[in-house]
Amino acid sequence: DIQMTQSPSSLSASVGDKITITCRASRSITNYLNWYQHKPGRAPKLLISAVSRLQSGVPSRFSGSGSGTDFTLTISSLQPEDFATYYCQQTYSHPTFGPGTTVDIK
Amino acid sequence: QLVESGGGLVQPGRSLRLSCVASGFSFDDYAMHWVRQAPGKGLEWVADISWNSATIGYADSVKGRFTISRDSAKNSLYLEMTSLRLEDTALYYCAKNGGSSGLDGMDVWGQGTTVVVSS
């Protein structure tokens, strides 16, 4: 199985900050990398598919990049509604999720 | 929209069947997934099934114990869970594949159904 790691595991930030979350795969997954946002009591939400494809309705402050084994999710200007846990997911083989990065208010 | 049901409290070693009813999209056109989240833990993919049921996959943690299936006539996805273990306690989500491949992610999720395995 392909293992996914994320860093940091948590971060504290303020509204307006730019943040970057890193995701690494245990072997190359080419561009089979998706990002999800998950808030308590809510269903996970697909933000980005195929590394950088922003889903319909997702604000442009979210962006993704990377290839092979190393990927990033960037939020250019954090908004109050962005405080959540973010998961990367590979779908190159049987899907696996990263352990998550929790973004909370500083 | 996806609506899960069938969760509950069950003893270790017993069985449970989860259901997920789909609406608002052409169910027959998409692969479907089950994903779970144990208390205080992250998301874990459990199983998936292709649009025509020809291809099925399971996480190692459930292989041989869980069975995924679908019924196009009922727009429904199922997860038959047997030999349940304490570690199967989780909120179980069904999710729709966004397109024809993994590049599309899981774009529609239900609200989940809770399974508690306890004696």
Side-chain angles (χ1 to χ4, degrees):
Chain A
D1 285 0
I2 297 175
Q3 309 301 318
M4 306 298 291
T5 58
Q6 287 182 235
S7 62
S9 57
S10 65
L11 67 90
S12 296
S14 300
V15 173
D17 285 353
K18 176 180 179 180
I19 68 163
T20 299
I21 298 169
T22 297
C23 175
R24 176 166 290 175
S26 58
R27 59 180 177 95
S28 177
I29 56 172
T30 64
N31 61 337
Y32 283 78
L33 192 283
N34 308 306
W35 289 98
Y36 297 83
Q37 178 190 66
H38 194 197
K39 297 179 179 180
R42 305 278 294 275
K45 177 183 178 181
L46 177 64
L47 297 176
I48 290 172
S49 63
V51 177
S52 58
R53 188 193 309 162
L54 207 63
Q55 296 302 294
S56 175
V58 175
S60 59
R61 62 180 179 273
F62 290 90
S63 64
S65 65
S67 66
T69 59
D70 295 313
F71 305 88
T72 60
L73 172 70
T74 299
I75 307 176
S76 60
S77 178
L78 205 61
Q79 298 302 299
E81 60 269 28
D82 300 336
F83 293 97
T85 299
Y86 293 86
Y87 294 92
C88 62
Q89 177 206 42
Q90 68 79 20
T91 49
Y92 185 83
S93 64
H94 285 323
T96 49
F97 291 89
T101 295
T102 300
V103 178
D104 61 24
I105 301 172
K106 182 184 289 184
Chain B
Q1 180 179 340
L2 297 170
V3 180
E4 302 94 336
S5 62
L9 174 63
V10 61
Q11 293 179 326
R14 303 298 291 266
S15 301
L16 205 59
R17 189 196 199 202
L18 305 184
S19 301
C20 170
V21 177
S23 61
F25 64 94
S26 180
F27 180 71
D28 288 352
D29 288 346
Y30 297 96
M32 297 293 295
H33 304 264
W34 287 100
V35 175
R36 67 185 181 184
Q37 184 176 35
K41 304 293 186 181
L43 299 173
E44 179 189 18
W45 172 80
V46 173
D48 62 11
I49 185 168
S50 62
W51 64 275
N52 60 356
S53 302
T55 303
I56 287 174
Y58 297 99
D60 288 344
S61 58
V62 307
K63 198 174 296 182
R65 300 188 300 121
F66 289 12
T67 302
I68 189 173
S69 62
R70 62 192 297 162
D71 183 340
S72 60
K74 297 182 178 180
N75 278 1
S76 292
L77 176 73
Y78 304 102
L79 187 68
E80 187 77 38
M81 304 185 295
T82 64
S83 302
L84 282 161
R85 303 169 180 169
L86 297 178
E87 56 265 33
D88 295 319
T89 294
L91 179 62
Y92 285 74
Y93 295 100
C94 69
K96 165 187 166 288
N97 213 64
S100 59
S101 81
L103 286 170
D104 301 302
M106 303 173 187
D107 68 341
V108 179
W109 295 65
Q111 289 301 309
T113 187
T114 299
V115 174
V116 176
V117 183
S118 174
S119 55

